[in-house]
Amino acid sequence: YNGAYSSGTPFHAHVMSLKSEITYFSPPYLSICQDAREDCGDGRPVIVRSSVTWDIRAGYPLPLSHFFPNQHTWKKTVIDAICTEGRRRVSSGEYLMDEPVEEALIQAFSPDRFFLTPSGLYIFYPLCSVSAYAEGFHPFLSPRRAFPRLTLASKQKTNYNRFRQCGWKRQTRL
């Protein structure tokens, strides 16, 4: 900093923030999504998204496979649905994804990147994993028929809205 200051070079402060949001809460499920952001002043902030879904009655996080009745074919079911939706998005011009679309989606898939909402189960891809940074995160809503074990209360305003705004944001300048 002192060297930049004495030579007249502009110094850009780093701004870091963490945003947590409870995306779904209705017993027994609690789903939390977090975005960690670091902005170095160069116009390209680094954003990392993570999530966890808990069974609050049992007291442990749930794997994605928990929501699918057939434990042996759940991954193929999910990837097929994501690839179909990815092809649809690219052909409609909604997104620009790396080619070939299916290969990029399969290679970057991780069963740890999912969260629940009242609309259903979202599976997301990190920035730059299947497309350019400017395209942002790619969330895919898994169709309800794909996970019959999951019965989400879609209009549970008492639980969901009460906890929805519990996200916190803290900014620190370095």
Side-chain angles (χ1 to χ4, degrees):
Y1 170 78
N2 289 335
Y5 180 75
S6 64
S7 68
T9 306
F11 176 76
H12 299 286
H14 289 220
V15 178
M16 302 171 95
S17 63
L18 176 65
K19 179 185 174 201
S20 298
E21 181 181 358
I22 295 176
T23 58
Y24 187 79
F25 177 74
S26 183
Y29 303 118
L30 169 66
S31 195
I32 302 169
C33 186
Q34 292 184 324
D35 287 339
R37 178 185 174 111
E38 179 183 2
D39 191 350
C40 301
D42 62 356
R44 295 178 300 162
V46 176
I47 304 170
V48 177
R49 177 169 285 174
S50 62
S51 64
V52 65
T53 299
W54 288 82
D55 180 334
I56 57 175
R57 291 184 182 147
Y60 58 85
L62 296 171
L64 181 58
S65 61
H66 171 81
F67 300 105
F68 297 89
N70 189 339
Q71 296 292 314
H72 301 292
T73 61
W74 71 268
K75 192 171 182 180
K76 181 179 179 349
T77 303
V78 169
I79 289 175
D80 287 348
I82 289 172
C83 287
T84 301
E85 179 64 13
R87 284 190 304 271
R88 186 199 64 77
R89 289 180 184 183
V90 169
S91 65
S92 71
E94 184 179 342
Y95 282 114
L96 297 173
M97 291 186 184
D98 296 341
E99 293 290 337
V101 174
E102 293 88 358
E103 187 178 316
L105 291 170
I106 292 168
Q107 187 174 11
F109 175 78
S110 171
D112 298 329
R113 293 191 293 255
F114 77 96
F115 58 90
L116 301 178
T117 69
S119 304
L121 186 141
Y122 277 89
I123 297 163
F124 64 91
Y125 285 83
L127 291 175
C128 302
S129 63
V130 294
S131 66
Y133 180 88
E135 290 292 322
F137 289 101
H138 290 280
F140 291 89
L141 177 63
S142 183
R144 285 185 179 265
R145 68 181 179 280
F147 51 98
R149 251 192 219 180
L150 183 61
T151 54
L152 296 176
S154 59
K155 300 295 179 188
Q156 287 238 346
K157 292 185 179 183
T158 54
N159 288 338
Y160 179 69
N161 286 339
R162 185 171 137 209
F163 292 98
R164 180 178 169 88
Q165 299 301 323
C166 290
W168 59 274
K169 186 175 182 181
R170 179 178 179 175
Q171 290 191 346
T172 307
R173 292 198 181 268
L174 298 177

